[in-house]
């Protein structure tokens, strides 16, 4: 009986949901699409976002603003707009969205009062394969560019055919390997290590791109919502 990758994905989704992750499928990590993405929340930062009604932040321009303010200590919205080549209304909108981080003082002077902290504590990526473990490992290794942990999830029978030296290579790279049996049982053969993200900017871009969907999940999942709203009470 032939097995298809799409039949294996739900077992991986369930495996990570059972471990407290918010899980998405078919999400881009840079230019490559991961079969499964799992997000662990930084509950304190999520609560701040909910309290301040913080929307999705245009992270690339946001990080440029932070670098400028780190260098100059403070700058007016008009000066920021001129330096970055955007309208004052657009810069004002970004500053307002990140109000816990930026403070606008008299005469429109923008001051950074704390560093950016992502609402995510950890993001993992999983490449799911039935037979092609080679490309699966190449994909998983690339995910470390923007993610904390990367996994190859492979059909159980195929795992037995992977050479031992390849298994050791994956272990040394910090890539985890999960197997899926014909009955849908997922087993961790090699634990993933935190080996990324190699690019903090790429990680921040991915996290912000997921915020709207993460927030929808929090609102509709009583377990997540209660845990965050009651934090510190």
């Amino acid at each position: 009986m032939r097995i298809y990758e799409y039949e294996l994905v739900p077992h991986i989704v369930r495996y990570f949901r059972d471990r407290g992750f918010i899980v998405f499928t078919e999400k881009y990590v840079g230019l490559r699409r991961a079969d499964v993405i799992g997000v662990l929340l930084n509950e304190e930062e999520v609560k701040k976002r909910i309290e301040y009604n913080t929307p999705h932040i245009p992270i690339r321009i946001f990080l440029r603003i932070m670098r400028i303010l780190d260098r100059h200590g403070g700058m007016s919205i008009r000066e920021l707009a001129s330096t970055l080549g955007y309208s004052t209304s657009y810069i004002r909108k970004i500053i307002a969205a990140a109000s816990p981080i930026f403070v606008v003082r008299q005469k429109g002077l923008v001051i950074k009062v704390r560093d950016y902290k992502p609402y995510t504590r950890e993001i993992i990526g999983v490449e799911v394969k039935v037979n092609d473990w080679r490309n699966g490992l190449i994909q998983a290794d690339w995910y470390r560019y923007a993610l904390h942990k990367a996994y190859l999830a492979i059909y159980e029978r195929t795992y037995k055919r992977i050479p031992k030296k390849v298994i050791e290579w994956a272990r040394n790279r910090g890539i985890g390997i999960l197997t899926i049996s014909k009955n849908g049982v997922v087993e961790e053969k090699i634990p993933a290590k935190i080996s990324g993200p190699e690019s903090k900017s790429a990680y921040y871009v991915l996290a912000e791109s997921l915020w709207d969907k993460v927030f929808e999940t929090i609102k509709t999942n009583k377990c997540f919502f209660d845990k965050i709203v009651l934090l510190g009470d």
Side-chain angles (χ1 to χ4, degrees):
M1 180 178 176
R2 187 170 182 179
I3 302 293
Y4 295 91
E5 287 175 11
Y6 71 84
E7 297 175 298
L8 303 180
V9 169
H11 304 304
I12 298 300
V13 169
R14 184 171 59 251
Y15 177 86
F16 283 102
R17 278 184 180 158
D18 289 347
R19 285 154 179 79
F21 287 81
I22 293 177
V23 182
F24 304 102
T25 58
E26 299 293 320
K27 293 295 179 185
Y28 277 94
V29 180
L31 298 176
R32 305 192 183 196
R33 188 167 58 188
D35 293 312
V36 177
I37 290 284
V39 176
L40 280 181
L41 298 176
N42 179 334
E43 287 90 357
E44 290 185 0
E45 289 301 316
V46 171
K47 187 172 184 179
K48 288 176 185 175
R49 285 198 173 208
I50 293 173
E51 289 174 347
Y52 284 94
N53 195 28
T54 303
H56 161 84
I57 298 174
I59 194 66
R60 288 186 175 90
I61 183 66
F62 173 83
L63 293 175
R64 290 178 66 192
I65 292 173
M66 290 192 66
R67 285 194 289 269
I68 290 171
L69 295 181
D70 282 338
R71 195 161 55 242
H72 296 282
M75 188 175 280
S76 71
I77 289 177
R78 186 180 298 277
E79 288 173 323
L80 282 170
S82 176
T83 300
L84 295 166
Y86 290 93
S87 68
T88 55
S89 60
Y90 181 65
I91 297 300
R92 189 175 286 110
K93 181 180 178 181
I94 294 175
I95 298 299
S99 56
I101 296 175
F102 300 130
V103 171
V104 181
R105 295 183 175 173
Q106 289 182 344
K107 298 182 180 179
L109 187 67
V110 181
I111 304 293
K112 191 187 86 171
V113 294
R114 75 181 183 94
D115 288 328
Y116 168 78
K117 292 182 181 178
Y119 67 89
T120 52
R121 182 155 51 90
E122 183 178 299
I123 304 183
I124 60 96
V126 187
E127 186 67 20
V128 180
K129 295 293 183 186
V130 176
N131 295 306
D132 192 0
W133 54 264
R134 292 179 180 84
N135 279 329
L137 284 171
I138 291 170
Q139 286 280 95
D141 190 48
W142 193 90
Y143 296 154
R144 299 183 308 110
Y145 179 72
L147 305 179
H148 294 93
K149 293 180 181 178
Y151 292 85
L152 168 67
I154 194 80
Y155 189 46
E156 186 180 50
R157 291 182 181 177
T158 304
Y159 174 74
K160 298 173 182 177
R161 300 200 297 267
I162 302 177
K164 289 183 179 180
K165 64 180 181 180
V166 175
I167 298 292
E168 283 307 305
W169 175 86
R171 193 193 308 275
N172 292 335
R173 297 287 288 178
I175 301 170
I177 298 182
L178 306 170
T179 59
I180 309 146
S181 73
K182 63 180 180 180
N183 297 320
V185 176
V186 178
E187 182 179 351
E188 185 181 66
K189 295 294 186 181
I190 298 177
K193 299 175 184 176
I194 294 180
S195 53
E198 294 176 355
S199 168
K200 285 290 183 67
S201 295
Y203 163 52
Y204 295 156
V205 168
L206 175 64
E208 290 300 331
S209 74
L210 295 173
W211 168 247
D212 290 340
K213 291 186 178 297
V214 167
F215 186 46
E216 283 300 314
T217 302
I218 292 168
K219 289 193 298 183
T220 57
N221 187 305
K222 190 176 185 301
C223 178
F224 281 121
F225 187 80
D226 289 348
K227 184 178 180 181
I228 289 166
V229 170
L230 297 176
L231 187 69
D233 294 347

